[in-house]
Amino acid sequence: MRHNLGVMAPSSEEHRWLGALADALGEAWTVDRVEAFADDELEVIAAAPPLRRALSEFPNLRLIQSLWAGVEVILRDPGLRTDIPLARMKDPQMETSMALSVLAHVLAFHLHHDQYRRRQNGSEWSQIYGVSPGERTVTILGLGAMGRAAAVALQDAGFGVAAMVRTPRLDDEIDVFGPDQLDERLADTDVLVNVLPVTEETRDLVDGALLSKLPPGSGFVNVARGVHVVDDDLLAALDSGRLRHAFLDVFRVEPLPEDHRFWTHPRVTITPHMAAPTFPSSGSVFVAEQLERLEQGQPLEHLVDHAAGY
Ligand code: GLV
């Protein structure tokens, strides 16, 4: 018997997912846009925000597979059933992209590219003698798959790395600490990197109080979500020059509105939510493996804990 998988993704990406999933899933699955099926025919929905239909409208789902690593939009879906497994995307390509993006931003900061850019605007030739990577500490907020990939890449490049995790645990690879130690760790941070999921605890976490605990002249990289940051507080820290530079990939409103001050701020580098895009070619291999586990009755991977919110 053939199974049915419906795709619900923005039109700009949907056709790529349809092709890649059809290739990866083979004969056993019919893959199409959700609208191509009667609601009760769908067993699996593969979804990327924004969602155009409420997931609760599909009565026979066995799995909701997010096509994104972040699932906060799906979790906000009214009537979302907690008895239907919801899984995050896990794609090694995304981890590689995240590691490279974070490394690129930290290197740009470390090598003073932000400062040289400003000097270039005034045709100013002046050299800055910096420190070695080992004398810099990069503090990462969040150590999920992508946070870890970034942490390892930074460590391999020679930077000192520490990561805040919700529940501290023994970690062979990275120096981890819990939220209760954040203040003291911030005081020893050269670049703060946000890779957290969105939860009630992490929303608005990067506010004036947190930023004031960073040493003067530090940098900030946000590759998680815009709602982690209080924009006006970040702008105030940048205006005063206390924070040397912010590398922002994600924003409270996306696309970032044309009149937002981030666009023209000399201490801000903007990328349009592209730090770690999902690759349909490799992401659909994970979906195929996940569906195989579903069919075999094996434990599914990267399931969301509804209570934790990620
Ligand atoms: C991208 O932001 C994702 O959550 O996958």
Side-chain angles (χ1 to χ4, degrees):
M1 194 187 85
R2 273 172 85 98
H3 301 288
N4 296 328
L5 177 141
V7 178
M8 183 158 33
S11 49
S12 56
E13 2 178 324
E14 199 162 58
H15 65 283
R16 292 192 300 136
W17 278 111
L18 288 171
L21 285 167
D23 285 351
L25 302 190
E27 288 299 298
W29 288 82
T30 304
V31 176
D32 212 329
R33 304 177 76 228
V34 283
E35 289 76 10
F37 302 92
D39 291 355
D40 61 0
E41 283 175 342
L42 280 174
E43 294 161 79
V44 175
I45 288 188
L51 304 182
R52 53 181 184 265
R53 294 274 309 275
L55 293 165
S56 53
E57 290 170 20
F58 303 91
N60 294 325
L61 290 184
R62 296 162 64 203
L63 169 66
I64 299 164
Q65 175 62 56
S66 172
L67 297 175
W68 277 28
V71 287
E72 75 284 356
V73 173
I74 295 180
L75 285 171
R76 279 204 308 270
D77 186 291
L80 181 72
R81 283 173 43 190
T82 50
D83 58 330
I84 299 170
L86 164 63
R88 281 175 279 116
M89 175 52 73
K90 167 133 176 21
D91 173 2
Q93 286 293 340
M94 286 173 84
E95 289 163 31
T96 306
S97 302
M98 181 58 91
L100 291 176
S101 295
V102 170
L103 185 61
H105 294 318
V106 171
L107 283 174
F109 180 88
H110 174 66
L111 298 172
H112 310 280
H113 287 184
D114 54 316
Q115 291 165 304
Y116 290 136
R117 178 76 244 173
R118 289 194 289 275
R119 291 176 192 196
Q120 184 176 337
N121 291 339
S123 308
E124 181 189 339
W125 176 282
S126 71
Q127 293 156 331
I128 303 168
Y129 289 93
V131 298
S132 68
E135 291 170 76
R136 300 252 199 226
T137 301
V138 183
T139 300
I140 303 190
L141 303 176
L143 198 63
M146 289 202 274
R148 182 173 294 277
V152 169
L154 289 163
Q155 234 167 229
D156 288 351
F159 292 98
V161 175
M164 184 184 82
V165 297
R166 196 170 123 139
T167 317
R169 56 201 176 233
L170 276 182
D171 196 299
D172 292 342
E173 227 170 8
I174 312 290
D175 168 20
V176 297
F177 62 92
D180 57 328
Q181 273 186 40
L182 180 59
D183 285 4
E184 64 195 80
R185 296 298 191 123
L186 286 173
D188 183 35
T189 293
D190 295 289
V191 185
L192 181 68
V193 178
N194 177 33
V195 199
L196 285 167
V198 176
T199 65
E200 281 319 306
E201 288 99 69
T202 66
R203 198 175 281 270
D204 297 327
L205 180 75
V206 181
D207 61 2
L210 181 147
L211 292 167
S212 72
K213 289 170 192 141
L214 287 168
S218 43
F220 175 58
V221 177
N222 190 14
V223 286
R225 288 292 185 262
V227 293
H228 289 128
V229 175
V230 179
D231 289 2
D232 285 343
D233 291 6
L234 178 58
L235 282 164
L238 292 163
D239 284 343
S240 68
R242 201 192 140 69
L243 198 65
R244 192 178 99 197
H245 205 81
F247 300 83
L248 306 177
D249 186 60
V250 286
F251 304 90
R252 296 186 92 92
V253 178
E254 294 182 9
L256 181 64
E258 257 176 55
D259 58 353
H260 198 291
R261 280 191 60 212
F262 285 153
W263 277 119
T264 51
H265 202 292
R267 294 183 182 276
V268 174
T269 297
I270 287 176
T271 45
H273 200 145
M274 284 305 284
T278 22
F279 286 70
S281 50
S282 45
S284 50
V285 172
F286 172 74
V287 178
E289 290 163 359
Q290 186 82 310
L291 295 182
E292 185 63 26
R293 289 187 277 273
L294 183 73
E295 283 315 291
Q296 303 298 324
Q298 289 164 3
L300 298 174
E301 290 190 4
H302 302 290
L303 287 179
V304 172
D305 173 345
H306 284 255
Y310 60 92

